[in-house]
Amino acid sequence: MTEGHEVIVLDNMFTGRKKNVAHWVGHPNFQLITHDVVEPIMLEIDQIYHLACPASPPHYQYNPIKTIKTSTVGTMNMLGLAQRVRARILLTSTSEVYGDPEQHPQREDYWGNVNSIGPRACYDEGKRVAETMMYAYQQQSGLEVRVARIFNTF
C-alpha cells in the first residue's frame, strides 16, 4: 500500500480480528469490508488472495457445514469474481489435503490418505475441492490461478 497498491480485505470476523489490520485503517489505499465469501460480492480488482477458512480444528469443527461452504461455495464465488474481472487468484490451501499421509515428506504427486467422513473431513475435503475448482477454472477458462499449500506455521 505504501507503494500505491490498493488493498481490499474481506473478512467475516469469525476467526479474524479487526485489531490485526487496525494499523492500516484510515490509509487511503486500504479498505476493510466485513463480508463472508459464501455470499457473492461485486468488486473491481486485479488480484485475489483467497485465504478464507478457519484453519484450527476447534474453529473448523465448531461448524463443519460452514467450513465446507467456506472452502467450496466461497472458492466458487471468488473464482466467479476472478473470472468476471479477469483477476489472478491465489488460494491458500493446506497440507491437510494429504490427510494422514503415508509418505514423509509429501511430494506434489502424492494424492494423500484422507478419511472423507472423519472429524477433520470438513476442512480436508473442502480444501481438496477448492484446489480442484481452481485448476478446473484454469483449464476451462484460462483463468490465472495459484495454489499455495501451507504446512505448519506459527
Side-chain angles (χ1 to χ4, degrees), residues 2 12 17 31 45 70 81 90 139 145:
T2 57
N12 69 357
R17 301 291 175 261
Q31 184 178 2
I45 43 144
T70 299
L81 174 60
L90 168 83
Q139 288 178 321
V145 304

Side-chain angles (χ1 to χ4, degrees), residues 19-51:
K19 69 179 183 178
N20 294 338
V21 294
H23 58 287
W24 290 111
V25 173
H27 191 285
N29 291 343
F30 179 80
Q31 184 178 2
L32 174 62
I33 301 172
T34 302
H35 181 83
D36 192 326
V37 296
V38 171
E39 301 299 327
I41 191 166
M42 300 293 278
L43 298 168
E44 297 302 320
I45 43 144
D46 55 17
Q47 294 181 22
I48 298 172
Y49 296 83
H50 178 30
L51 287 69

